Amino acid sequence: MVTAADPEETRTSVWLTARPAAPARRRSEAPSGLDRERITAATVRLLDAEGLGRFSMRRLAAELGVTAMSLYWYVDTKHDLLELALDRALGELALPAAPDPKPESPPESPPEAGPGTGPAAWPGRLRVLACGYRKLLVAHPWVAPLTAAYPNIGPHARAFDAALQRLLDATGLAEARRTGAHLAVSYFLHGCGGAARRLPERDFRLALDVLIAGIGGVAGIGGVAGSAAKTA
């Protein structure tokens, strides 16, 4: 993946590369008390404290009290570590539970999609997911640029995408239109990333209302934005 920091470099995502295990003799030479989980957690803390621009492997090593070369026992590059940190941060996001399955209906009377009542309905669930993502971007400002720079295909990113897909499945949209809705929501969430700290909460919620109303309109459901706002 090409990043803004190194436009000439191409690389493979850490999630697509199987890292061979080190020989037993070399593993015994690795620094004690250090592992990939601890390194990733420290990376998140350092990025939160100092920002993406100041992050370096040397600075991280100093934070952990080890040498910079020690880190390379566990990751191949700084980019791999940033990808790991990105997915760890996404793991903080509380995802809505899967909606209850709809009961089967006779062929002559297919179930109609509707806004429902309460937060279990898809508009309310989508609002919770979107507002939670916005809070994540405010808490971790470095997540937005890394999401744009890297493939973002770690396990927590995939779980987020699956949760969004489940919400859109509940709208009653045809498959082709669900794909368009998925794209619209994704662009909305990632597009507000750089402005998360500057965009007033009221403006964000208004834009979200418009997005939800648009999805509901395409699905033939009236009043979904107002219904979602009442459940927020």
Side-chain angles (χ1 to χ4, degrees):
M1 183 73 176
V2 179
T3 71
D6 44 29
E8 301 300 324
E9 180 183 352
T10 58
R11 55 179 297 276
T12 301
S13 169
V14 67
W15 302 111
L16 300 177
T17 304
R19 199 166 193 264
R25 183 184 62 81
R26 293 189 61 198
R27 287 199 301 269
S28 67
E29 297 169 1
S32 61
L34 204 59
D35 56 35
R36 182 179 271 196
E37 181 68 16
R38 183 185 171 199
I39 293 171
T40 302
T43 299
V44 171
R45 292 195 302 270
L46 194 59
L47 288 168
D48 285 344
E50 300 186 358
L52 184 58
R54 294 188 61 190
F55 179 79
S56 70
M57 298 296 269
R58 288 184 180 277
R59 180 68 190 88
L60 176 62
E63 183 75 11
L64 289 167
V66 299
T67 66
M69 289 305 298
S70 300
L71 302 177
Y72 292 102
W73 284 93
Y74 306 96
V75 292
D76 290 332
T77 69
K78 181 178 79 171
H79 296 290
D80 289 353
L81 188 51
L82 291 175
E83 277 196 82
L84 293 170
L86 171 60
D87 199 69
R88 183 184 178 92
L90 292 174
E92 298 174 11
L93 185 61
L95 301 178
D100 295 331
K102 295 180 181 179
E104 293 185 4
S105 300
E108 62 271 14
S109 56
E112 293 183 1
T117 56
W122 72 262
R125 289 170 178 262
L126 180 54
R127 177 176 290 278
V128 170
L129 186 68
C131 291
Y133 191 81
R134 170 183 161 84
K135 290 178 181 178
L136 179 75
L137 295 179
V138 172
H140 305 295
W142 48 272
V143 164
L146 289 188
T147 298
Y150 296 122
N152 199 18
I153 54 175
H156 291 118
R158 295 197 305 271
F160 174 85
D161 194 67
L164 175 57
Q165 187 60 55
R166 288 195 301 268
L167 290 175
L168 296 175
D169 288 344
T171 62
L173 286 168
E175 183 176 356
R177 292 188 172 185
R178 285 202 305 273
T179 300
H182 193 291
L183 188 63
V185 174
S186 296
Y187 272 113
F188 173 78
L189 294 178
H190 298 317
C192 76
R197 287 181 176 273
R198 301 188 301 273
L199 186 67
E201 183 72 14
R202 180 181 177 183
D203 291 347
F204 172 82
R205 289 179 176 269
L206 177 60
L208 182 57
D209 279 344
V210 172
L211 177 64
I212 291 173
I215 294 173
V218 173
I221 307 168
V224 294
S227 174
K230 291 177 184 178
T231 62

